[in-house]
Amino acid sequence: NAGVTQTPKFRVLKTGQSMTLLCAQDMNHEYMYWYRQDPGMGLRLIHYSVGEGTTAKGEVPDGYNVSRLKKQNFLLGLESAAPSQTSVYFCASRLDGYEQYFGPGTRLTVT
Amino acid sequence: AQTVTQSQPEMSVQEAETVTLSCTYDTSENNYYLFWYKQPPSRQMILVIRQEAYKQQNATENRFSVNFQKAAKSFSLKISDSQLGDTAMYFCAFRLLIHTSGTYKYIFGTGTRLKVLA
């Protein structure tokens, strides 16, 4: 199993550009999450999904959209990137248990 | 408000010695789970240990153990016989049930950067 993978690993955007981050898991997990990690802030939940076709807002959803069309994929979209969205983005997935399995992260810089 | 506080931004320990990372949290819930995650320079988040709030016995995983004080809302991580590979950022987190939706919410602390010195 590859576990949780994220594409791309790094990206630089200009203000106003759009992009989509892809998270994929091959563990048949129901729950998937998108977090952002900023210095001194820990991880903050952006959006999450409890199953295929469902999404819900987390703590900091503004400026982001998500979709879960297939169970194994959870996409995070930025329609108009802003410098405040410069961060490291982590995807995680979970079955029914307690443990979240994290992807390797995507470092996004918005200039 | 539900929060997790890690008051030690950075710590260092000599190889083979013991170090304790502190974590306090605030919640009005009675049933929840607590976790310590390790994030090495590779950025991959790895679960180190978890504790169920209803269990009084402290969890242990090899060199890692916790001191869980439910009344004090304290959940510290002890690393014994520290190794160079333990150098990482450590995050404390807890999971609680969102009653309105029936889903779970994970709340993370800001992390403690641990450096193991040779």
Side-chain angles (χ1 to χ4, degrees):
Chain A
N1 287 350
V4 181
T5 58
Q6 292 183 231
T7 310
K9 289 188 168 54
F10 303 94
R11 185 72 186 268
V12 178
L13 286 179
K14 293 186 177 177
T15 298
Q17 287 186 318
S18 63
M19 77 164 294
T20 300
L21 281 67
L22 170 64
C23 175
Q25 52 92 7
D26 60 1
M27 299 175 282
N28 202 35
H29 285 178
E30 290 292 337
Y31 304 89
M32 297 187 75
Y33 307 80
W34 274 109
Y35 293 92
R36 59 178 288 173
Q37 182 181 31
D38 301 295
M41 301 284 287
L43 276 77
R44 292 182 293 168
L45 182 64
I46 305 172
H47 286 279
Y48 65 98
S49 168
V50 301
E52 182 179 315
T54 74
T55 63
K57 293 180 180 179
E59 293 177 73
V60 288
D62 294 342
Y64 305 95
N65 56 73
V66 287
S67 64
R68 184 100 180 266
L69 298 179
K70 293 183 179 180
K71 188 177 185 179
Q72 63 268 36
N73 295 337
F74 194 29
L75 279 64
L76 178 71
L78 286 74
E79 290 186 350
S80 179
S84 60
Q85 294 177 304
T86 292
S87 187
V88 180
Y89 292 85
F90 285 95
C91 176
S93 71
R94 178 174 70 86
L95 190 54
D96 290 329
Y98 324 112
E99 181 178 358
Q100 291 185 73
Y101 293 82
F102 284 85
T106 296
R107 184 177 294 279
L108 174 66
T109 302
V110 183
T111 60
Chain B
Q2 290 127 355
T3 58
V4 177
T5 302
Q6 293 180 250
S7 58
Q8 304 150 316
E10 292 186 0
M11 294 188 74
S12 61
V13 61
Q14 288 294 135
E15 198 176 5
E17 293 189 348
T18 296
V19 64
T20 298
L21 310 183
S22 66
C23 172
T24 58
Y25 58 93
D26 187 23
T27 181
S28 56
E29 299 291 326
N30 197 43
N31 294 320
Y32 48 88
Y33 293 86
L34 296 154
F35 308 88
W36 277 98
Y37 280 90
K38 171 184 177 181
Q39 186 182 39
S42 66
R43 288 204 317 242
Q44 186 77 46
M45 296 277 283
I46 304 162
L47 179 68
V48 174
I49 198 166
R50 71 164 180 258
Q51 172 83 40
E52 292 89 336
Y54 63 85
K55 287 188 177 178
Q56 291 188 337
Q57 187 174 3
N58 289 327
T60 299
E61 287 287 342
N62 300 313
R63 298 183 295 108
F64 298 88
S65 61
V66 299
N67 182 6
F68 174 48
Q69 303 288 331
K70 190 173 183 180
K73 295 180 182 172
S74 170
F75 183 59
S76 60
L77 175 69
K78 185 171 85 171
I79 306 174
S80 304
D81 187 25
S82 297
Q83 300 176 357
L84 296 177
D86 295 334
T87 292
M89 184 77 105
Y90 287 81
F91 291 95
C92 177
F94 76 95
R95 185 192 87 157
L96 48 79
L97 176 65
I98 305 171
H99 293 284
T100 53
S101 62
T103 57
Y104 291 99
K105 182 177 179 179
Y106 291 78
I107 299 173
F108 288 80
T110 53
T112 294
R113 188 176 301 281
L114 176 69
K115 189 169 185 180
V116 180
L117 307 171

